[in-house]
């Protein structure tokens, strides 16, 4: 199934100051999440950003906070965003059945969020080049497990091109710098 711009929302999970430096390929995860935030902003796709226990892990990294000007931020203490009271209702209020998921750590908060969203009836797309863990082994195991459960594994470019749907448009020309 393809990602449809009018049916999707973007959810960034726990890209936070104290955790980010320990993440395998963390700079790439942050850069690709920022690309998606910018694409979502330009194309009118709602974006949400979770922050796990801010007092302990700090807020989202500065680059994410700067890029997420239109995003809705929320704090959580559950590993799964879906288990946090009110979050499923907040996402359902966007009236978009597809969730584009990025963040850290892939084998903990991202995985548990993906399964919770799947269980709540959402179509879940994990952006593999915008999700990671402290070790590549944990990241790989989580992606395998999500794929086996029916979660779609995509890349940030796949998301952007599927949101755009066609070349030769003003939207395509505006988003081209994010793709090049």
């Amino acid at each position: 199934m393809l990602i449809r711009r009018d049916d999707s929302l973007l959810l960034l999970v726990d890209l936070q100051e104290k955790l980010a430096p320990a993440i395998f390929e963390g700079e790439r995860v942050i850069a690709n999440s920022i690309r998606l935030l910018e694409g979502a902003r330009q194309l009118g796709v709602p974006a949400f950003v979770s922050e796990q226990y801010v007092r302990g892990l700090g807020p989202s990294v500065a680059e994410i906070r700067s890029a997420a000007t239109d995003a809705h931020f929320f704090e959580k203490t559950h590993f799964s965003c879906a288990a946090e009271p009110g979050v499923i209702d907040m996402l359902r209020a966007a009236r978009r059945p597809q969730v584009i998921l990025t963040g850290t750590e892939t084998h903990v908060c991202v995985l548990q969020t993906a399964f919770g969203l799947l269980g709540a009836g959402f179509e879940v797309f994990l952006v593999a080049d915008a999700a990671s863990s402290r070790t590549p082994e944990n990241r790989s195991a989580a992606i395998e497990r999500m794929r086996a459960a029916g979660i779609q594994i995509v890349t940030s470019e796949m998301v952007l091109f599927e949101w755009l749907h066609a070349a030769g448009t003003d939207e395509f020309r505006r988003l081209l710098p994010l793709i090049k």
Side-chain angles (χ1 to χ4, degrees):
M1 90 192 63
L2 290 175
I3 296 166
R4 297 172 306 278
R5 174 191 342 179
D6 294 338
D7 288 336
S8 64
L9 60 88
L10 176 63
L11 176 57
L12 278 67
V13 177
D14 307 345
L15 295 168
Q16 291 169 256
E17 287 178 348
K18 292 184 181 174
L19 182 58
I23 298 299
F24 172 70
E25 298 182 339
E27 289 179 9
R28 180 180 73 132
V29 169
I30 291 167
N32 286 327
S33 293
I34 290 169
R35 282 178 12 154
L36 291 170
L37 278 167
E38 181 59 26
R41 186 187 62 73
Q42 289 191 37
L43 297 172
V45 174
F48 300 83
V49 179
S50 75
E51 296 177 318
Q52 175 75 26
Y53 185 62
V54 174
R55 196 173 69 181
L57 294 175
S60 296
V61 297
E63 301 93 333
I64 293 293
R65 288 193 315 266
S66 294
T69 55
D70 296 341
H72 176 82
F73 283 75
F74 63 93
E75 187 171 354
K76 66 184 183 64
T77 55
H78 290 84
F79 296 124
S80 170
C81 292
E84 193 68 29
V87 171
I88 290 292
D89 290 338
M90 176 181 63
L91 298 178
R92 282 191 177 132
R95 301 193 186 287
R96 293 173 179 243
Q98 298 180 331
V99 178
I100 313 306
L101 189 60
T102 81
T104 61
E105 284 192 70
T106 312
H107 69 295
V108 184
C109 295
V110 176
L111 179 133
Q112 290 185 34
T113 295
F115 280 119
L117 293 171
L118 200 61
F122 288 94
E123 298 169 36
V124 183
F125 298 82
L126 174 72
V127 186
D129 63 349
S132 195
S133 297
R134 284 169 286 137
T135 69
E137 295 82 12
N138 279 325
R139 178 185 179 277
S140 295
I143 291 172
E144 270 183 48
R145 187 171 171 200
M146 284 186 261
R147 180 181 284 123
I151 292 161
Q152 299 292 309
I153 309 302
V154 297
T155 66
S156 55
E157 279 200 15
M158 291 166 77
V159 174
L160 292 170
F161 278 107
E162 289 174 38
W163 278 346
L164 285 166
H165 190 66
T169 65
D170 288 339
E171 291 171 333
F172 178 79
R173 284 185 282 285
R174 279 197 316 270
L175 260 63
L176 200 53
L178 297 176
I179 297 166
K180 284 187 173 183

